[in-house]
Amino acid sequence: MEEGYTSLPTSHLLGSVPAVIAEEKPSAGASQSLPANLQVFPPGNGGYIPPESPLGGEEQAANNWKGFCSLSSYTPYFNVDTDVVVDRIISSVYPMDEFSRKIDGSPDLYGPVWISATLVFMLAALGNYGTYLIQKRSEPNGDWEFDVSYVDWAACVVFGYAVAVPAAFYFLLQYFGLNANLVRLWCMWGYSLFVFIPASLFLVVPSEIFRWIIIILAGSASSWFVYLNLKVSTEGSDTRPLVVSALVLQFALALFIKIFFFS
Amino acid sequence: MSHSDTIPLHPSSQSDIDEIENLINADVHSVSVLPARPPSPPRVSIPISHSPSPLPPYQKVPPSASPPPVVPAVPAAAAAPAGSSRIGISSDAFGSPPDTLTEPVWDTVKRDLARIVSNLKLVVFPNPYREDPGRALRDWDLWGPFFFIVFLGLTLSWSASAKKSEVFAVAFAILAAGAIILTLNVLLLGGHIIFFQSLSLLGYCLFPLAIGALICMLEGNVIIKIVVVSITLAWSCWAAYPFMSAAVNPRRKALALYPVFLMYISVAFFIIAID
């Protein structure tokens, strides 16, 4: 029954944020089959290459970018299935460099967005739960209050980091003359945050030593993942300090998570 | 110019004054040529293959938050009165019947409330039309979701012992922005839904959580709160499941459903934790 919905005469309503309905018509046909058109994200140099076409398809850089407000401009970056996303998540936990090969042709933005959202929820919820446990241990009859500011801080820190740091590295890499694709950087950094989700589950345990061990492990895994993938992207020029600073930043994020939310 | 004994078929053939006169005369007759349950105006919604729902010649512009009676150009809505002081108007009339402007305010409110209740029954409670997304919320509106979001925010704010206004702000922001982002997520994954219909559905599915929040506000025991919130959370997820899963390619069903569950779980956690 579900298949019937993919061929409805409402394809002109695909991505119909109301103001841009007229523009969706040309892209509706392309979206129903796997897109064979390339989409060049405006500032980047790499083209978006769909999985089944050969890698040298750059001459077809027909720019399907319809502007920042048209939903169909972003659809190629969400063209993933469940198993693809799960596969990428698993390969992000083990700090091996298969990940860059997996996202070579088709970086996605679904993973980064929802991993960050999940992480925000986890940090706010489990951070509060951690303070609840600590307070119940020290004074069993005391009053515990839910601290709403954890939600604000978690959202600002996680989303800010996931958006700003890859963008900053993109501009730095461009400055050094290396080709970099902004969407790939966002994708990679977003998936690198996944390790912190199970780590935050373990951080609830109200023991300082245990918490420090967990966060050091998670921080190292995540930083190593970022380091490996960034090294692949920069292909060993003299950007060693840049790559090392990425590693340090990731570790600093891990420390901040521990100190702010779970102490 | 009294037309008390003839009721015209097309109001467009009359002048406005005549129509108002007819209204007054119809009061005298108290003629009701309409069914007891006002027929829902067909609106822009998902067309489904087996139940033909022809788009009316007068397509309704999706209202963001304004109630339909303010838009006089919707004849179909005018054909659904709640009171008896109305004349039956054919639903494909191209004229603009002034009934929704001249009717009593209580009629307007009653009609909107009736629509909220009927949408609630279709979406949240078991009924034979749940599996049919095109039918389920053909008559979507945004008043219901608005009431439920504000009610949930207020309940959480009352339950909180400190930073009440920040609690309301966070709850409202998560629910409102969350509904929009979830809809965009489905659209980006290549799904077929109507933007406002999806917002409406996600808002109506908050109804069980709103009830849960109300019970938790009145009840203090943590165990009972956890049980109540778990039941209402399961109910909310069950209500939202058919609509969301039918909207996307089956290989991406989990990708579309996971954010919905994430939002409801975070609201449920919020309800439990606020005391």
Side-chain angles (χ1 to χ4, degrees):
Chain A
M1 182 175 155
E2 285 100 332
E3 271 83 300
Y5 288 101
T6 57
S7 55
L8 288 172
T10 54
S11 35
H12 67 281
L13 291 172
L14 181 67
S16 60
V17 180
V20 293
I21 287 180
E23 297 171 14
E24 252 73 61
K25 284 194 169 95
S27 64
S31 305
Q32 281 176 353
S33 59
L34 208 53
N37 48 333
L38 286 184
Q39 175 136 338
V40 178
F41 195 81
N45 289 324
Y48 168 68
I49 303 165
E52 59 265 26
S53 71
L55 279 175
E58 252 114 356
E59 71 277 358
Q60 211 184 0
N63 199 339
N64 283 327
W65 183 252
K66 287 188 170 42
F68 284 99
C69 280
S70 165
L71 210 60
S72 62
S73 326
Y74 302 102
T75 319
Y77 301 116
F78 283 79
N79 194 13
V80 282
D81 293 333
T82 310
D83 46 354
V84 171
V85 173
V86 171
D87 186 37
R88 291 179 182 184
I89 287 178
I90 293 179
S91 72
S92 81
V93 176
Y94 299 109
M96 302 173 260
D97 68 344
E98 308 172 348
F99 186 79
S100 23
R101 258 173 280 142
K102 285 188 184 165
I103 66 168
D104 234 347
S106 53
D108 73 300
L109 288 177
Y110 178 91
V113 167
W114 291 111
I115 289 176
S116 314
T118 311
L119 188 60
V120 167
F121 162 64
M122 287 284 190
L123 289 179
L126 297 175
N128 273 299
Y129 189 57
T131 53
Y132 172 79
L133 287 180
I134 289 185
Q135 191 162 36
K136 285 303 167 190
R137 269 193 1 170
S138 55
E139 32 168 316
N141 293 329
D143 269 338
W144 171 81
E145 274 165 14
F146 182 83
D147 193 356
V148 186
S149 65
Y150 276 31
V151 179
D152 305 334
W153 273 103
C156 291
V157 168
V158 172
F159 279 116
Y161 186 88
V163 169
V165 169
F169 271 89
Y170 171 75
F171 286 119
L172 284 174
L173 287 174
Q174 290 284 74
Y175 177 75
F176 282 114
L178 293 162
N179 277 350
N181 187 346
L182 183 57
V183 182
R184 281 196 56 175
L185 288 176
W186 270 330
C187 180
M188 194 259 296
W189 247 281
Y191 277 102
S192 78
L193 291 177
F194 177 77
V195 187
F196 295 119
I197 293 177
S200 59
L201 280 171
F202 287 114
L203 284 173
V204 178
V205 175
S207 150
E208 275 301 303
I209 308 280
F210 187 67
R211 285 181 175 183
W212 278 111
I213 294 177
I214 291 289
I215 200 63
I216 289 178
L217 283 176
S220 320
S222 189
S223 312
W224 191 245
F225 174 82
V226 170
Y227 174 74
L228 278 180
N229 283 289
L230 209 53
K231 216 164 56 134
V232 166
S233 290
T234 61
E235 298 292 331
S237 348
D238 57 342
T239 51
R240 180 68 55 94
L242 212 59
V243 180
V244 169
S245 65
L247 193 153
V248 168
L249 264 178
Q250 192 83 358
F251 206 78
L253 176 73
L255 290 179
F256 176 80
I257 287 177
K258 160 71 182 71
I259 293 172
F260 189 83
F261 291 103
F262 295 102
S263 62
Chain B
M1 282 257 261
S2 165
H3 294 268
S4 55
D5 50 349
T6 57
I7 298 178
L9 290 175
H10 285 282
S12 53
S13 60
Q14 285 185 298
S15 70
D16 283 339
I17 297 181
D18 286 352
E19 287 200 69
I20 295 174
E21 264 198 63
N22 280 331
L23 272 173
I24 298 170
N25 293 333
D27 256 324
V28 173
H29 295 169
S30 58
V31 154
S32 173
V33 294
L34 298 150
R37 154 91 181 90
S40 329
R43 295 219 214 163
V44 180
S45 63
I46 293 181
I48 42 182
S49 43
H50 58 271
S51 107
S53 63
L55 291 176
Y58 237 20
Q59 290 209 5
K60 180 167 178 136
V61 175
S64 50
S66 57
V70 179
V71 181
V74 181
S84 62
S85 62
R86 306 293 303 278
I87 308 174
I89 299 176
S90 60
S91 63
D92 59 351
F94 272 85
S96 63
D99 293 311
T100 54
L101 283 179
T102 56
E103 66 179 4
V105 173
W106 177 237
D107 282 352
T108 312
V109 173
K110 258 201 317 191
R111 187 171 65 239
D112 284 335
L113 284 177
R115 184 167 53 216
I116 292 179
V117 169
S118 82
N119 276 338
L120 203 58
K121 282 199 291 218
L122 277 176
V123 171
V124 176
F125 294 96
N127 68 79
Y129 303 114
R130 281 199 78 236
E131 303 298 320
D132 191 351
R135 176 83 178 260
L137 262 189
R138 183 182 297 162
D139 207 5
W140 56 265
D141 70 303
L142 289 175
W143 277 119
F146 176 70
F147 285 144
F148 296 143
I149 292 181
V150 169
F151 178 74
L152 195 51
L154 283 176
T155 311
L156 287 173
S157 171
W158 277 322
S159 317
S161 35
K163 293 191 188 176
K164 288 173 182 280
S165 55
E166 199 174 329
V167 167
F168 179 84
V170 168
F172 192 88
I174 288 179
L175 292 170
I180 295 177
I181 292 175
L182 289 174
T183 309
L184 286 180
N185 182 51
V186 171
L187 288 173
L188 284 167
L189 284 173
H192 295 266
I193 51 169
I194 310 297
F195 185 74
F196 285 105
Q197 195 175 12
S198 168
L199 287 187
S200 179
L201 175 109
L202 287 169
Y204 274 108
C205 291
L206 281 176
F207 173 74
L209 282 170
I211 295 188
L214 185 64
I215 297 178
C216 285
M217 185 174 74
L218 304 170
E219 173 66 52
N221 189 348
V222 179
I223 305 290
I224 296 185
K225 275 163 67 159
I226 292 181
V227 168
V228 165
V229 169
S230 314
I231 293 176
T232 53
L233 171 67
W235 188 3
S236 278
C237 294
W238 170 81
Y241 179 85
F243 190 81
M244 281 297 173
S245 66
V248 285
N249 191 329
R251 288 198 314 258
R252 304 183 180 183
K253 206 158 63 166
L255 296 184
L257 284 172
Y258 167 73
V260 179
F261 295 158
L262 178 69
M263 182 172 92
Y264 288 153
I265 289 176
S266 62
V267 171
F269 194 89
F270 213 30
I271 295 175
I272 296 178
I274 295 273
D275 57 5

